[in-house]
Amino acid sequence: MTTSQRDVIEVLTHDHREVERMFAELEALHGIETHGARQRRKDLTDQVTIELVRHSVAEEADVYPAVKKKVGESEAEHAKEEHAEAERTMKRLEGLKPDEPEFEAQLALLMHEVREHVAEEESEMFPHMRSVFTEEELVDLGRKVESTKKIAPTRPHPSAPDEPPGDKLLGPVTGLLDRMRDAVTRRGTER
């Protein structure tokens, strides 16, 4: 099965596993106070943020409107609220250095928020989606999510619109600016 044929639940679950892998590495580096370990923690935190922002933008643009229509408004709105909490945490974390005391607290909070959200999505929303959407609809949503992630922002923007038309208009422009800024600063790359 090629990437373009994965259904949306497979795409999103793959993202969840990738973020969890990075969280596990971050936890393994906790307490190691060398310059290299601190730099790796910052790089990993940037990579996690990039992945989470792209993932969240795609869910909010493509998945949650479909869930709202076919599964239920409350489920979609609850997930969006969880995204907003995590985005605010990522924004606070973005301005911190790994040797600052608040860095560890914000990183721990982010991991807790994301793990809780992932558990809810995978145990509640995804099974509901499997029972309501056709396989064709799930594959189509998967394609849309992968396409949106390619142009999505890579940095948290908590005050940006998260619903159409604002997200559809500003998201790609913000994404381009974020990727240009990331390229200049080498953010999200291993140094």
Side-chain angles (χ1 to χ4, degrees):
M1 182 179 282
T2 65
T3 302
S4 63
Q5 294 177 322
R6 294 187 303 172
D7 75 35
V8 68
I9 294 169
E10 293 166 331
V11 170
L12 298 176
T13 301
H14 177 268
D15 289 354
H16 293 168
R17 294 302 156 289
E18 194 58 28
V19 166
E20 183 55 41
R21 181 193 60 73
M22 289 185 266
F23 281 170
E25 186 175 347
L26 282 163
E27 289 172 329
L29 290 168
H30 181 72
I32 301 173
E33 295 302 324
T34 66
H35 174 74
R38 281 193 298 273
Q39 187 59 53
R40 179 66 181 147
R41 285 176 64 73
K42 180 62 174 166
D43 291 344
L44 272 172
T45 301
D46 288 344
Q47 289 172 12
V48 162
T49 299
I50 290 167
E51 184 59 35
L52 288 173
V53 169
R54 291 172 59 235
H55 175 94
S56 295
V57 167
E59 281 186 325
E60 290 170 9
D62 302 318
V63 178
Y64 297 160
V67 167
K68 190 175 184 176
K69 284 181 190 171
K70 290 190 84 166
V71 176
E73 185 172 348
S74 65
E75 203 155 344
E77 289 304 313
H78 177 69
K80 282 175 54 178
E81 288 169 19
E82 290 178 334
H83 279 197
E85 287 175 17
E87 191 164 13
R88 287 188 294 271
T89 303
M90 286 185 279
K91 188 66 179 173
R92 289 189 300 271
L93 195 55
E94 183 179 48
L96 298 171
K97 292 182 172 76
D99 57 353
E100 294 180 75
E102 189 62 16
F103 182 88
E104 290 303 326
Q106 291 300 313
L107 183 57
L109 177 61
L110 179 64
M111 287 192 271
H112 171 76
E113 290 168 342
V114 169
R115 285 173 169 155
E116 192 172 272
H117 174 72
V118 165
E120 286 181 19
E121 267 191 353
E122 291 185 3
S123 68
E124 296 171 24
M125 184 182 293
F126 291 175
H128 289 160
M129 289 174 70
R130 284 243 184 259
S131 70
V132 174
F133 289 89
T134 66
E135 185 59 31
E136 184 178 296
E137 289 171 320
L138 292 173
V139 169
D140 185 52
L141 274 174
R143 278 191 212 98
K144 287 178 181 176
V145 163
E146 289 181 326
S147 179
T148 298
K149 283 175 55 179
K150 290 176 185 172
I151 60 170
T154 61
R155 294 173 181 264
H157 300 280
S159 58
D162 62 359
E163 291 192 18
D167 65 338
K168 300 280 187 184
L169 295 172
L170 294 176
V173 173
T174 304
L176 176 62
L177 294 173
D178 283 354
R179 284 188 299 285
M180 287 172 33
R181 194 170 147 203
D182 291 346
V184 169
T185 63
R186 296 180 36 118
R187 177 179 173 266
T189 61
E190 297 196 28
R191 297 170 208 241

